[in-house]
Amino acid sequence: MLLEHEGRRPRIHPTAYVAPTATISGDVTIGQESRILFGAVLTAEGGPVVVGSHCIVMEQAVLRGTKPHPLRVGDHVLIGPHAHLSGCTVEDAAFIATGASIFNGARIGARSTVRINAVVHIRTVLPPDAVVPIGWVAVGEPAQILPPGAHDEIWALQGPLNFSKTVFNLDPAPSGQSNMPERMRRYAKALGRHLRDRILDRHGSADF
């Protein structure tokens, strides 16, 4: 499914393939010879999504660009099934494995590997040729790569990166309080812009 969102339409190279059940929404660019497989979602939520040439985005992967954090994927990148990428940069020849998660403001260096179910946190920078092992967590700049059980060490690095401010532009709530109601109000308002989307045909023209 191709969607016009906020007046912007996907731009898909004639040699690229987009599966019939993939969803491509808004300001999304897909490069030469790239392949977007069944159930994948590429959505520009206020910021563009750019996929380079000779990339493969596999089944059920989600790629999301945001206004403060566009999503950019270089050339010759493989993004595995069920991977989740939000507002990050992935440089050339990287391998993002099944179920990996990469968050806003992160950068994955060229030829790096983020293995199955690994996490790269907000504003984390992986150098070229880095490897995040299966299920491990990369956090910080420069990235420290830690096992999932190292909660205290992960939080000591992650806390100052300020997820709430980076993703929602909200200061963290004081102890015993929550900013979730305001997060959800803002997020629902932004996502409500999809009410005005237009479904396009395979050639990028409106179906109605």
Side-chain angles (χ1 to χ4, degrees):
M1 180 182 290
L2 305 181
L3 296 169
E4 179 183 287
H5 177 64
E6 295 285 277
R8 296 184 177 273
R9 297 183 175 192
R11 294 176 298 280
I12 300 169
H13 194 276
T15 63
Y17 169 73
V18 177
T21 58
T23 300
I24 315 296
S25 174
D27 188 6
V28 177
T29 301
I30 299 170
Q32 179 180 355
E33 298 287 345
S34 286
R35 310 289 184 244
I36 313 299
L37 299 187
F38 298 88
V41 176
L42 284 66
T43 181
E45 305 284 359
V49 173
V50 178
V51 176
S53 64
H54 304 279
C55 293
I56 298 175
V57 179
M58 296 191 72
E59 293 87 351
Q60 311 300 327
V62 176
L63 282 66
R64 186 186 312 276
T66 70
K67 187 173 182 179
H69 298 110
L71 190 146
R72 302 190 186 278
V73 176
D75 300 332
H76 305 282
V77 172
L78 174 60
I79 298 173
H82 298 279
H84 174 249
L85 285 67
S86 180
C88 59
T89 297
V90 180
E91 296 180 351
D92 294 349
F95 173 33
I96 312 302
T98 299
S101 298
I102 305 173
F103 290 101
N104 302 52
R107 177 178 292 272
I108 308 301
R111 304 174 303 279
S112 289
T113 298
V114 181
R115 291 187 170 154
I116 295 169
N117 292 331
V119 175
V120 180
H121 268 300
I122 58 167
R123 296 168 52 193
T124 292
V125 177
L126 280 184
D129 302 300
V131 175
V132 184
I134 293 173
W136 283 42
V137 178
V139 58
E141 181 184 0
Q144 295 193 41
I145 300 172
L146 299 165
H151 177 269
D152 291 344
E153 294 91 332
I154 292 168
W155 183 246
L157 296 164
Q158 182 187 345
L161 298 177
N162 199 339
F163 177 88
S164 182
K165 190 72 172 179
T166 298
V167 177
F168 295 101
N169 197 29
L170 284 171
D171 291 326
S175 179
Q177 300 182 35
S178 174
N179 63 15
M180 285 299 293
E182 179 60 15
R183 285 188 192 184
M184 293 303 96
R185 186 194 70 79
R186 294 186 183 191
Y187 207 15
K189 180 180 179 181
L191 294 175
R193 298 187 181 108
H194 284 292
L195 291 166
R196 300 187 293 274
D197 288 357
R198 301 177 71 197
I199 298 173
L200 307 173
D201 65 20
R202 298 292 292 176
H203 305 287
S205 300
D207 277 349
F208 53 90

